[in-house]
Amino acid sequence: MAPTAETPAPLLRAETDPASRRLPVSTASKTKNGVLKLTFSKPEGSEDVVCQRITVTVPVGTECADLASSGETIDHNYEDQSRADWRIVPQLALTSVTFTCTPEVPGNQITFDAQRRFTLILSAIPVSRTPGYAPIVASARTAFADGDDWDDRPIYVDPVEKVMETPDSFFFRSFSCEKPQVENGDKTILRWEGSEAETEYYLWDGRSDTPTKVTGRSCETHALTDTTTFVLEARTKDADNQPVSHYLSTTITVKLPDIRAKTLTATDKVTVTDTFRADNTDNQKTWAGATTFEGDVTITGNNKLTVGGEIEAHSGVTIPPHKPLKVDTIRVPDSADSRKQVVFFSPVWLDNPGDDLTVKGAVNVDGKLAASGGVTIPSHKPLEVDTIRVPNSAGNRKQVVFNSPIWIDEQSLPAGTPAHLTVKGSVDVSRTLGVNGKATLGEVQVNGAARRGTQAMIAAGDSVSLESLYFTGKFLNGSGKQSHTDNSDVTGPAAFYRSYDGASKFKIAHR
């Protein structure tokens, strides 16, 4: 490190042993151990220097700027021409190892004069596999012998060159990975040994259709999410100067990998402990055969579940509140084990006016059945009800219209309860009102003719007083409203009639 305005000028210098300036790199099959020798002295012709300590830092790692792959195995020693004792203490860090050298002499400081040389010897250095230049950082706490200007001053050290041993002929071997197994999403380093001259290397990473050209003798993988096989291609030329390729491969496994496959067939079952997620970003259908889910199945967003066959829900199908169930046909199979029942807990409506709701069985409504367009019962089909109630609210017509005969089934009522039709309003009959049994009536108003066959008549029960009968309008012969007095001994069903056309009084005849 050269001095700057912020760093003091060095008072000592360091010289690297020629054998330590170039060290061969390790390979996948063999670790190369190097030796680093650094000799410290004062520059020739300068004043004597007093030193309290010298520190040397070696970079550790796998990059081209790292000298050692590990700092734990490095041995240390020293030489001092004056035979002074020194204490050397290594200190490991994540990316380096620092050696602190202190003289063990009275006052804990030693003088560098023209004759003193101190040599730090670091041996058994596991040289990293990547060729390059590794910087060595050194400093010394020094001062001039006749002064008191103590300071930690940097000392420049030539970087160590790491080189690949190159044989005379082509070779290609030892393709491996630094970590044979990684966590999902982690990376690792690939390394190999091979010729440098007239050789190019290409890496197939298992993802792309074309390889990537790589330099040096190592490279970092991409983030791995599944077990991947890497193929390394070495391109060179043969004796006839024709292109030739050589291949090596290595596989890296991933813990809890992602699986990407065009087709996945499970002969037994597929178990998902967290979430089974179907990704349809490529707009292709995601489907499965017979599939059993022991938990909930959620389709997010506005995505759809399309089923070409049938959906069987043994415990029912629940639609969330305010969400419609849009179907073409709901069919309940006619099975002996089926309840043949569809239950709605919210209103049911059909979007289009022409849509029909067809039920071949029964419709049970615990609340109200509202039909804004009316309820139509097909011809010759009964409408069986207990009570028809028309609500008395503003805007309602309060009207029940029957386009077919109405009958009351005595057997459908509880034992002892007579069948009856109760109308609290009016009954408008556009054609014929036929009563086969008894009819208990209050006041009866007839705006037209009351007939029995072709005869104008009114049939009354025993409890009806003839004097309570009141006619409006015209009789059959065109005469107006009349009165009668000859009724004192009349009992049972009876009828009015005229003895001749134009008679002013009526006669009463028993039926």
Side-chain angles (χ1 to χ4, degrees):
M1 178 177 179
T4 64
E6 290 78 17
T7 59
L11 301 185
L12 296 180
R13 67 177 183 178
E15 183 178 359
T16 304
D17 186 81
S20 300
R21 293 175 182 174
R22 299 179 80 247
L23 300 177
V25 297
S26 300
T27 66
S29 59
K30 184 177 181 181
T31 299
K32 301 293 183 67
N33 291 322
V35 177
L36 177 62
K37 289 185 178 182
L38 299 176
T39 299
F40 297 88
S41 63
K42 77 177 187 65
E44 185 177 354
S46 65
E47 299 180 24
D48 290 349
V49 175
V50 181
C51 176
Q52 291 182 341
R53 66 173 178 267
I54 297 173
T55 60
V56 175
T57 299
V58 175
V60 175
T62 60
E63 303 298 327
C64 60
D66 297 323
L67 178 60
S69 59
S70 174
E72 298 178 353
T73 60
I74 300 178
D75 293 332
H76 54 81
N77 205 341
Y78 70 92
E79 293 178 355
D80 189 303
Q81 292 180 347
S82 302
R83 296 187 178 180
D85 292 331
W86 291 75
R87 182 166 61 94
I88 303 175
V89 178
Q91 183 176 0
L92 291 171
L94 183 62
T95 59
S96 64
V97 55
T98 300
F99 298 88
T100 302
C101 310
T102 56
E104 290 191 317
V105 295
N108 295 324
Q109 60 186 36
I110 197 168
T111 300
F112 278 85
D113 53 18
Q115 288 75 36
R116 182 174 296 281
R117 301 284 189 275
F118 170 74
T119 301
L120 174 63
I121 304 172
L122 301 178
S123 59
I125 301 174
V127 181
S128 63
R129 299 180 185 181
T130 309
Y133 289 87
I136 306 298
V137 179
S139 65
R141 181 167 180 76
T142 55
F144 286 112
D146 57 355
D148 194 21
D149 54 344
W150 290 99
D151 204 344
D152 284 314
R153 294 176 168 86
I155 302 174
Y156 176 76
V157 178
D158 291 327
V160 177
E161 182 182 6
K162 299 181 296 175
V163 297
M164 177 80 71
E165 289 183 335
T166 307
D168 295 336
S169 59
F170 168 81
F171 73 101
F172 182 41
R173 62 180 180 241
S174 302
F175 182 43
S176 63
C177 51
E178 190 173 272
K179 296 179 180 179
Q181 186 179 63
V182 297
E183 299 289 341
N184 192 314
D186 284 356
K187 302 178 181 180
T188 188
I189 302 296
L190 300 173
R191 304 185 187 280
W192 63 92
E193 298 178 24
S195 304
E196 291 185 1
E198 299 183 355
T199 304
E200 294 181 340
Y201 296 93
Y202 293 84
L203 183 66
W204 304 76
D205 60 3
R207 298 189 305 176
S208 59
D209 296 333
T210 57
T212 302
K213 186 177 181 179
V214 290
T215 58
R217 299 298 177 270
S218 67
C219 67
E220 187 179 52
T221 68
H222 58 270
L224 300 173
T225 57
D226 61 348
T227 298
T228 304
T229 297
F230 291 88
V231 177
L232 184 64
E233 177 187 6
R235 299 179 183 178
T236 185
K237 294 183 179 180
D238 60 13
D240 297 328
N241 203 30
Q242 297 298 315
V244 62
S245 294
H246 305 268
Y247 299 93
L248 293 175
S249 65
T250 187
T251 299
I252 302 172
T253 59
V254 175
K255 295 180 180 178
L256 300 177
D258 299 341
I259 297 178
R260 182 181 179 87
K262 182 177 181 180
T263 302
L264 177 62
T265 302
T267 57
D268 185 6
K269 63 181 178 180
V270 176
T271 302
V272 181
T273 58
D274 187 6
T275 301
F276 177 80
R277 187 182 302 276
D279 184 5
N280 196 32
T281 55
D282 58 356
N283 295 324
Q284 299 296 320
K285 293 181 179 178
T286 301
W287 64 275
T291 306
T292 300
F293 296 96
E294 296 181 356
D296 295 336
V297 178
T298 302
I299 301 176
T300 60
N302 295 322
N303 298 309
K304 298 179 180 179
L305 174 63
T306 302
V307 180
E310 298 180 353
I311 296 178
E312 292 187 7
H314 298 288
S315 298
V317 176
T318 302
I319 308 298
H322 310 296
K323 299 295 183 180
L325 172 63
K326 299 179 180 180
V327 296
D328 181 16
T329 302
I330 298 178
R331 185 184 302 277
V332 181
D334 188 8
S335 171
D337 297 331
S338 175
R339 297 178 60 190
K340 295 188 290 185
Q341 180 175 334
V342 180
V343 180
F344 297 95
F345 296 102
S346 60
V348 179
W349 67 92
L350 305 177
D351 290 337
N352 300 319
D355 291 342
D356 295 331
L357 176 62
T358 302
V359 181
K360 294 185 177 181
V363 177
N364 298 321
V365 182
D366 292 336
K368 295 180 179 179
L369 176 62
S372 58
V375 177
T376 301
I377 307 300
S379 300
H380 309 293
K381 299 295 182 181
L383 171 64
E384 299 180 3
V385 297
D386 183 15
T387 301
I388 297 179
R389 185 185 303 273
V390 182
N392 185 17
S393 61
N396 276 316
R397 296 177 62 192
K398 296 185 293 182
Q399 180 175 335
V400 180
V401 178
F402 298 94
N403 296 323
S404 60
I406 302 172
W407 66 90
I408 301 173
D409 187 359
E410 180 77 33
Q411 297 178 357
S412 63
L413 299 173
T417 303
H420 60 279
L421 173 64
T422 302
V423 182
K424 295 184 177 180
S426 63
V427 177
D428 297 329
V429 183
S430 59
R431 298 183 67 180
T432 301
L433 175 63
V435 180
N436 295 329
K438 276 196 310 184
T440 302
L441 305 174
E443 182 180 292
V444 178
Q445 295 183 359
V446 181
N447 294 328
R451 294 175 177 273
R452 180 179 183 183
T454 59
Q455 300 284 330
M457 53 78 63
I458 290 179
D462 294 341
S463 62
V464 177
S465 171
L466 295 180
E467 292 182 351
S468 66
L469 297 177
Y470 181 79
F471 296 89
T472 61
K474 299 288 185 177
F475 286 93
L476 293 180
N477 62 3
S479 62
K481 176 177 63 178
Q482 300 294 333
S483 62
H484 63 89
T485 59
D486 188 12
N487 64 348
S488 58
D489 296 325
V490 176
T491 61
F496 290 102
Y497 72 96
R498 291 179 187 271
S499 60
Y500 59 90
D501 291 341
S504 61
K505 294 186 178 181
F506 295 85
K507 289 186 178 182
I508 301 173
H510 288 281
R511 296 169 52 190

